[in-house]
Amino acid sequence: MHEKNLLQVTPYLLTPDVAAMVRFFVKVLGFHAWVQDDFYAYCSRDEVAVRIGKLSEPTGEGVEERVEIGARAWLFYIDVMDVAAVVEEIRPKLLAAGMQSGVGPVDQSWEKREYWAPVPGGGFVIYGQDIARMPMNPPMVEA
């Protein structure tokens, strides 16, 4: 019998300030920081986790040569049971932190109700709730 080897996908967010990004994920988004130092953190909430790493200037000596320095767009999508509860919790914290209040919730054509919460430095954490029961065997969609 073949054992499962792949366990999960964990987004890895690079930032110039690990401590500031961890504070945002903990104080605004309600995550818990399990591991944190000046260069790396692992934060989770319920069944969702994110790794946060220090973005450094290229040195010519390693993997950071392949990482773009500067602003770039990124998105995390978190499926939730109740997006209204997320908005009620997070929107006041975003405003208190001097940030935009986010976008939504809005019903999308793909049967999700979504709330887009901005993150310092660019990017969004998107919270999505099913608004219609998806069929177990959906019909094929022709391109």
Side-chain angles (χ1 to χ4, degrees):
M1 186 166 143
H2 179 69
E3 276 189 52
K4 291 194 300 186
N5 189 27
L6 303 180
L7 303 176
Q8 68 185 18
V9 173
T10 309
Y12 202 115
L13 171 63
L14 294 175
T15 179
D17 189 342
V18 171
M21 192 61 74
V22 168
R23 276 192 305 278
F24 175 78
F25 270 83
V26 170
K27 294 189 181 294
V28 176
L29 301 183
F31 280 61
H32 175 79
W34 294 98
V35 174
Q36 180 182 356
D37 63 25
D38 292 339
F39 300 96
Y40 174 82
Y42 183 87
C43 301
S44 69
R45 177 175 176 174
D46 300 330
E47 301 300 319
V48 174
V50 61
R51 298 171 194 275
I52 300 170
K54 174 89 171 152
L55 178 64
S56 58
E57 293 295 326
T59 63
E61 299 175 5
V63 69
E64 64 270 7
E65 286 296 316
R66 295 186 296 259
V67 177
E68 177 185 340
I69 304 299
R72 63 204 167 278
W74 60 270
L75 307 170
F76 290 167
Y77 198 102
I78 300 174
D79 293 282
V80 299
M81 296 297 293
D82 184 359
V83 77
V86 171
V87 173
E88 183 179 334
E89 174 191 351
I90 293 174
R91 183 168 275 157
K93 294 177 184 177
L94 287 168
L95 293 170
M99 298 180 65
Q100 297 292 321
S101 64
V103 178
V106 62
D107 291 351
Q108 304 290 4
S109 62
W110 47 88
E111 302 298 325
K112 288 285 200 176
R113 179 168 294 130
E114 295 177 343
Y115 172 62
W116 291 51
V119 174
F124 290 89
V125 175
I126 306 166
Y127 296 89
Q129 172 189 346
D130 288 338
I131 55 175
R133 187 176 182 101
M134 301 298 282
M136 292 303 290
N137 295 307
M140 295 297 289
V141 177
E142 295 194 28

